[in-house]
Each structure stands twice: as structure tokens, then as C-alpha cells.
Amino acid sequence: DLAVFGTTVYVAYQTGVYSGSATGSSVSSFSTQDCDAISAELGRLVGGKDNSLFELDSTGTRIDVFDHPNTAWDWNCFASGGAGIYVGGHDGLKSEIYLITIIDATGALAPPFPVAQLPAGELVRRIAFFGGFLVVATSKGVRIAQATQSGLLSLGPLIELGDTLGVAFEGRMAYVTCSSIPVHDNPGIVALDLSRFTAPLTPAYCAHSVLDTASTYTARDVATYDGRVLGLLATGGSNTLRYSSSTAYGTGKYWSGAI
């Protein structure tokens, strides 16, 4: 996994964490702590390894936060919210989202408590928070959750997009990966408009960019930069980065039309 904290990039790799300047060309050892997931949230560098949650301080030293009682549990994603840090995980069958808050008296991270549970067999992949909503990418599609002031979540219905591995924001839009976009049947990126809801916790959505050939590609992640929506695609162990343009995907937004 990888996280950007200020101007420093942290890379979790096998038996340790490496760090380097975001504008540099090299990294060096930062911590010997093994991380399955790492993220910079609310000014903290947080990580997960198997069922353990922890914080890494400025020297790379591990500060324990919580061990899930289920030893088969894996923490795999983080997101900053208004009430604390959301963290998702699963044991291969059951998936839950927890909230980590900050202890006012000491500034330490408090042990998390569960705020949402997915149906059995639906596993959380990635989460992202914006404007009071948590976008939850899962093994079956995407859900929108609304957060209360205390951080509790109300999960919306499943938008069935298949295994959804990545999510990114730009303005009011949330972009998620899709393994097989409906109608097109090819992998790509779906756009969700969080300012327009067609039903409770169900935003308007459409295909944003679709790979133009049926292939073994998998849409692994999505990011936004400089007004572009970039999709990270993988096939046969090789990765490629593509963005919507007249030569790659075709234009990405339509405001009106008729057939």
C-alpha cells in the first residue's frame, strides 16, 4: 500500500515501510513494521496488519491502537471523517466499518467501535469520505453511507457494479472502478453525482470511461489529477495508466442528449 503525508510518500512493502520526498526519485527505510494497509488520516500515519490496528509516529515506531478479537480479520482501508477515522476490514465472509476517535485529554487514538456492517459475503475494498457521505467500494459494487454527527453510518442500497476496487473524488463527483460496466461489458470508471439522488442514498450515476476493447484488463484503481480522471488497469501482471481523452476513451461527460 502507499500513502502521501504532506510532501512525503510512505510505501508499505513486505517487511517494512519506506519513505521519500513526493518530488524525489528514491525512498529509504522508515520503519520495520509490516503493514497490509497504510494511510495518512487526520494528521496521523495509521496502518493495519492482519487483525491489528496501529499508528506509526515520526520515528516509525508502532503505537498499538486495537486488535480485533477475530484473528482471521484483515484491516484494508481508511478514510478521514468528521467524527474520526473510518477503517474497514473483513474475515473473508463478514465485513464491518469501524470508527477511531481521538481521546481529548491525551490526543491518543481511541480503540475503534463498529458503525456499519455489510451483508454476509459482501466485502469492503475501499472507503472515501466527502461532505457527510462515505463511499464504500465492495466486492459486489458500491454503497453510499450517510454519517451522523457522532460518526454512525446509515448504509444505502447496493449499486451492483461487481468487484469495485478503487474510489476517488473530484468536486461533487465520486469515481469508482468497475470490472464490467453495464451495457458496455468492459472494465472502466463509473461516475456518481453526490449532488443528485434518485432514491434515498442512491446517487445518479453513469459510465464515465470504458476500455474500448474486451480483454483481460482489470480496473484496479482510480485517481483524479489536473482535471483528469485516471484509471489504473492491470492485465497479466502488467499495469497501465489511462485517462479519458479523444485517443484513449472518448469524452467523459455528457450534459444532455436524446435518442
Side-chain angles (χ1 to χ4, degrees), residues 4-5 39-46 77-88 97-100 102 109 127-135 147 151 153 169:
V4 179
F5 195 169
S39 190
E41 305 293 345
L42 297 184
R44 311 294 185 100
L45 190 63
V46 290
C77 53
F78 297 90
S80 298
I85 302 171
Y86 291 102
V87 54
I97 298 172
Y98 284 64
L99 180 66
I100 304 172
I102 298 175
L109 297 179
I127 55 177
F129 186 88
F130 178 77
F133 295 103
L134 189 73
V135 178
L153 298 176
F169 285 109

Coordinates of all heavy atoms in Angstrom, one line a residue, residues 4-5 39-46 77-88 97-100 102 109 127-135 147 151 153 169:
V4 N 0.4 9.3 1.1 CA 1.1 10.6 0.9 C 0.7 11.4 2.2 O -0.5 11.6 2.4 CB 0.7 11.3 -0.4 CG1 1.4 12.6 -0.4 CG2 1.0 10.5 -1.6
F5 N 1.7 11.8 2.9 CA 1.5 12.6 4.1 C 2.3 13.9 4.0 O 3.5 13.9 4.1 CB 2.0 11.8 5.3 CG 1.6 12.3 6.7 CD1 1.8 11.6 7.8 CD2 1.0 13.5 6.8 CE1 1.4 12.0 9.0 CE2 0.6 14.0 8.0 CZ 0.8 13.2 9.2
S39 N -2.2 4.6 5.7 CA -2.9 5.8 5.2 C -2.5 7.0 6.1 O -2.2 6.8 7.3 CB -4.4 5.5 5.2 OG -5.1 6.6 4.6
A40 N -2.6 8.2 5.6 CA -2.4 9.4 6.4 C -3.8 10.0 6.6 O -4.4 10.4 5.6 CB -1.5 10.4 5.6
E41 N -4.2 10.0 7.8 CA -5.6 10.5 8.2 C -5.5 11.3 9.4 O -5.0 11.0 10.4 CB -6.5 9.3 8.4 CG -6.6 8.2 7.3 CD -7.2 8.7 6.0 OE1 -7.9 9.8 6.1 OE2 -7.0 8.1 5.0
L42 N -6.1 12.5 9.3 CA -6.2 13.5 10.4 C -4.9 13.7 11.1 O -4.7 13.8 12.3 CB -7.2 12.9 11.5 CG -8.7 12.8 11.1 CD1 -9.5 12.3 12.3 CD2 -9.2 14.1 10.5
G43 N -3.9 13.9 10.2 CA -2.5 14.2 10.7 C -1.8 13.0 11.4 O -0.8 13.2 12.1
R44 N -2.3 11.8 11.2 CA -1.7 10.6 11.7 C -1.4 9.6 10.6 O -2.0 9.6 9.6 CB -2.7 9.9 12.7 CG -3.3 10.8 13.7 CD -2.3 11.3 14.7 NE -3.0 12.1 15.8 CZ -3.2 11.6 17.0 NH1 -2.8 10.4 17.3 NH2 -3.8 12.3 17.9
L45 N -0.3 8.9 10.8 CA 0.1 7.8 9.9 C -0.4 6.5 10.5 O 0.1 6.1 11.5 CB 1.6 7.8 9.6 CG 2.1 6.9 8.5 CD1 1.5 7.3 7.2 CD2 3.6 6.8 8.5
V46 N -1.5 5.9 10.0 CA -2.1 4.8 10.6 C -1.9 3.6 9.7 O -1.8 3.7 8.4 CB -3.6 5.0 10.8 CG1 -3.8 6.0 12.0 CG2 -4.3 5.5 9.6
C77 N -8.6 -0.7 4.7 CA -8.8 0.6 4.2 C -9.1 1.6 5.3 O -9.7 1.3 6.3 CB -9.9 0.6 3.1 SG -11.5 -0.1 3.7
F78 N -8.8 2.9 5.0 CA -9.0 4.0 6.0 C -9.6 5.2 5.2 O -9.4 5.4 4.0 CB -7.7 4.5 6.6 CG -7.0 3.4 7.4 CD1 -6.1 2.6 6.8 CD2 -7.2 3.3 8.8 CE1 -5.4 1.6 7.5 CE2 -6.5 2.4 9.5 CZ -5.6 1.5 8.9
A79 N -10.3 6.1 6.0 CA -10.8 7.3 5.5 C -11.1 8.3 6.6 O -11.7 7.9 7.6 CB -12.1 7.1 4.6
S80 N -10.7 9.6 6.5 CA -11.0 10.6 7.5 C -12.4 11.1 7.4 O -12.9 11.4 6.3 CB -10.0 11.8 7.3 OG -8.7 11.4 7.5
G81 N -13.1 11.1 8.5 CA -14.5 11.6 8.5 C -14.6 12.8 9.5 O -13.6 13.2 10.1
G82 N -15.8 13.3 9.6 CA -16.0 14.5 10.5 C -15.8 14.1 12.0 O -15.4 14.9 12.8
A83 N -16.1 12.8 12.3 CA -16.0 12.4 13.7 C -14.8 11.6 14.1 O -14.6 11.2 15.3 CB -17.3 11.6 14.1
G84 N -13.9 11.3 13.1 CA -12.8 10.5 13.4 C -12.3 9.8 12.1 O -12.5 10.3 11.0
I85 N -11.6 8.7 12.3 CA -11.0 7.9 11.2 C -11.9 6.6 11.0 O -11.9 5.8 11.9 CB -9.6 7.6 11.4 CG1 -8.7 8.8 11.7 CG2 -9.0 6.8 10.3 CD1 -7.3 8.6 12.1
Y86 N -12.4 6.5 9.8 CA -13.1 5.2 9.5 C -12.1 4.2 9.0 O -11.1 4.5 8.3 CB -14.2 5.5 8.4 CG -15.4 6.3 8.9 CD1 -15.5 7.6 8.5 CD2 -16.4 5.7 9.6 CE1 -16.5 8.4 9.0 CE2 -17.4 6.5 10.1 CZ -17.5 7.8 9.7 OH -18.6 8.6 10.2
V87 N -12.3 2.9 9.4 CA -11.4 1.9 9.0 C -12.3 0.6 8.7 O -13.2 0.3 9.4 CB -10.4 1.5 10.1 CG1 -11.0 1.3 11.4 CG2 -9.5 0.4 9.6
G88 N -12.0 0.0 7.5 CA -12.8 -1.1 7.1 C -12.0 -2.4 7.1 O -10.7 -2.4 6.9
I97 N -17.3 -1.8 9.2 CA -16.6 -0.5 9.2 C -16.6 0.0 10.6 O -17.6 0.0 11.3 CB -17.3 0.5 8.3 CG1 -17.2 0.0 6.8 CG2 -16.6 1.9 8.3 CD1 -18.0 0.8 5.8
Y98 N -15.4 0.4 11.1 CA -15.3 0.9 12.5 C -14.9 2.4 12.4 O -14.5 2.9 11.4 CB -14.2 0.2 13.2 CG -14.5 -1.2 13.7 CD1 -14.9 -2.2 12.8 CD2 -14.6 -1.5 15.0 CE1 -15.2 -3.5 13.2 CE2 -14.9 -2.8 15.5 CZ -15.2 -3.8 14.6 OH -15.5 -5.1 15.0
L99 N -15.0 3.1 13.6 CA -14.6 4.5 13.7 C -13.6 4.6 14.8 O -13.8 4.2 16.0 CB -15.8 5.4 14.0 CG -15.6 6.9 14.2 CD1 -15.1 7.5 12.8 CD2 -16.8 7.6 14.7
I100 N -12.5 5.2 14.5 CA -11.4 5.5 15.5 C -11.6 7.0 15.9 O -11.6 7.9 15.0 CB -10.0 5.3 14.9 CG1 -9.9 3.9 14.4 CG2 -9.0 5.6 16.0 CD1 -8.5 3.7 13.7
I102 N -10.4 10.4 18.7 CA -9.2 10.9 19.4 C -9.6 11.2 20.8 O -10.6 11.8 21.1 CB -8.7 12.1 18.6 CG1 -8.2 11.7 17.2 CG2 -7.5 12.7 19.4 CD1 -7.8 12.9 16.4
L109 N -5.1 7.9 19.9 CA -6.2 7.3 19.2 C -6.9 6.3 20.1 O -6.3 5.4 20.7 CB -5.7 6.6 17.9 CG -5.1 7.6 16.8 CD1 -4.6 6.7 15.6 CD2 -6.0 8.6 16.4
I127 N -12.7 2.8 1.0 CA -13.7 3.8 1.5 C -13.1 5.2 1.3 O -11.9 5.4 1.3 CB -14.1 3.5 3.0 CG1 -12.8 3.5 3.9 CG2 -14.9 2.3 3.2 CD1 -13.1 3.4 5.4
A128 N -14.0 6.1 1.1 CA -13.6 7.5 1.0 C -14.8 8.4 1.5 O -15.9 8.1 1.3 CB -13.3 7.8 -0.5
F129 N -14.4 9.5 2.2 CA -15.4 10.4 2.8 C -15.4 11.8 2.2 O -14.3 12.3 2.0 CB -15.1 10.5 4.3 CG -16.1 11.2 5.1 CD1 -17.2 10.5 5.7 CD2 -16.0 12.5 5.4 CE1 -18.1 11.2 6.4 CE2 -16.9 13.2 6.1 CZ -18.0 12.5 6.7
F130 N -16.6 12.3 2.0 CA -16.7 13.7 1.5 C -18.1 14.2 1.8 O -19.1 13.5 1.5 CB -16.5 13.7 0.0 CG -16.6 15.1 -0.6 CD1 -15.6 16.1 -0.4 CD2 -17.7 15.5 -1.3 CE1 -15.7 17.3 -1.0 CE2 -17.9 16.7 -1.8 CZ -16.9 17.7 -1.7
G131 N -18.2 15.4 2.4 CA -19.4 16.1 2.6 C -20.5 15.3 3.4 O -21.7 15.4 3.1
G132 N -20.1 14.6 4.4 CA -21.0 13.8 5.2 C -21.4 12.5 4.7 O -22.2 11.8 5.3
F133 N -20.8 12.1 3.5 CA -21.1 10.8 2.9 C -19.8 9.9 2.8 O -18.7 10.4 2.5 CB -21.6 10.9 1.5 CG -23.0 11.6 1.4 CD1 -23.1 12.9 1.0 CD2 -24.2 10.9 1.8 CE1 -24.3 13.6 1.0 CE2 -25.4 11.5 1.7 CZ -25.5 12.9 1.3
L134 N -20.0 8.7 3.1 CA -18.9 7.7 3.0 C -19.2 6.8 1.8 O -20.3 6.2 1.7 CB -18.7 6.8 4.2 CG -17.5 5.9 4.2 CD1 -16.2 6.8 4.5 CD2 -17.6 4.9 5.3
V135 N -18.3 6.8 0.8 CA -18.5 6.0 -0.4 C -17.8 4.7 -0.1 O -16.6 4.6 0.3 CB -17.9 6.6 -1.6 CG1 -18.0 5.6 -2.8 CG2 -18.6 7.9 -2.0
A147 N -23.3 9.8 7.3 CA -22.8 9.8 8.6 C -23.5 10.8 9.5 O -23.9 11.9 9.1 CB -21.3 10.2 8.6
G151 N -20.7 10.1 14.0 CA -20.0 9.2 13.1 C -20.6 7.9 12.8 O -20.1 7.1 12.0
L153 N -23.1 5.4 10.8 CA -23.4 5.3 9.4 C -24.7 4.7 9.1 O -25.1 3.7 9.7 CB -22.3 4.6 8.6 CG -20.8 5.1 8.7 CD1 -19.9 4.2 8.0 CD2 -20.8 6.5 8.1
F169 N -12.4 11.2 -5.5 CA -13.4 12.4 -5.5 C -12.8 13.5 -6.4 O -11.6 13.7 -6.5 CB -13.6 12.9 -4.1 CG -14.5 12.1 -3.3 CD1 -14.0 11.4 -2.2 CD2 -15.9 12.0 -3.6 CE1 -14.9 10.6 -1.4 CE2 -16.7 11.3 -2.8 CZ -16.2 10.6 -1.7

